[in-house]
Amino acid sequence: MQPSERLAELQLVLPKVAAPVANYIPANRSGNLIFSSGQVPFKDGKVVYVGKVPTEVTLTQAADAARIAMLNAIAACAQIVGGVDAISRVVRVVVFVNSDPTFTEHPKVANGASDLLVQIFGDQGRHARSALGAAALPLNAAVEVELTVEVR
């Protein structure tokens, strides 16, 4: 099954790629790899989860934020190659969590992004990953993700 078919089955639509808010591009291609810029949980033109995890944003909300941010990262990568079906596998994911200094469950937040990738790309969605805490993130977003994919 193609990734676009899985998206439809999951009743998900890749969002429009947000315009950069500074001097960068949403994703960049080098050979057969595409690297997304950091993506936050933008939905309908605004950041949907803001603040520190877990004091202002719950663990469950943060995992959802990672899922939303990952949809944005997939969209940025897919835009470069003319669609999600040109992505042959997910290589690496980095998840930054805007976390309270005592928070240590970053991998659980990152699972929101990782689980989505496996749902969309199947075994080709399994990836290397880093999940870490940050003192602050752009726009006070709860989560920021980076995605590296391989394309056909």
Side-chain angles (χ1 to χ4, degrees):
M1 184 180 291
Q2 291 289 339
S4 59
E5 295 168 323
R6 288 194 180 112
L7 281 166
E9 190 176 83
L10 295 166
Q11 299 180 350
L12 295 172
V13 175
L14 290 181
K16 183 178 182 223
V17 177
V21 295
N23 189 15
Y24 65 92
I25 56 177
N28 201 4
R29 183 175 185 163
S30 179
N32 66 341
L33 295 177
I34 297 177
F35 303 85
S36 81
S37 291
Q39 300 290 321
V40 297
F42 269 121
K43 195 171 188 177
D44 300 323
K46 66 178 184 173
V47 179
V48 289
Y49 293 107
V50 296
K52 298 278 185 207
V53 179
T55 52
E56 299 167 289
V57 176
T58 68
L59 178 59
T60 301
Q61 290 171 324
D64 188 49
R67 180 181 171 92
I68 294 166
M70 184 52 69
L71 272 175
N72 292 325
I74 294 167
C77 292
Q79 181 179 42
I80 288 182
V81 292
V84 69
D85 292 337
I87 297 172
S88 57
R89 77 182 291 227
V90 178
V91 177
R92 185 164 192 262
V93 170
V94 180
V95 178
F96 300 94
V97 181
N98 184 1
S99 57
D100 173 299
T102 62
F103 184 70
T104 59
E105 297 185 88
H106 307 90
K108 290 181 181 178
V109 173
N111 284 343
S114 293
D115 292 348
L116 177 67
L117 290 167
V118 173
Q119 288 176 317
I120 295 170
F121 296 100
D123 283 340
Q124 298 306 308
R126 298 196 184 284
H127 51 274
R129 181 179 87 182
S130 297
L132 45 132
L137 291 174
L139 306 172
N140 198 28
V143 174
E144 181 174 357
V145 303
E146 294 178 1
L147 175 64
T148 304
V149 297
E150 185 175 1
V151 295
R152 297 181 193 355

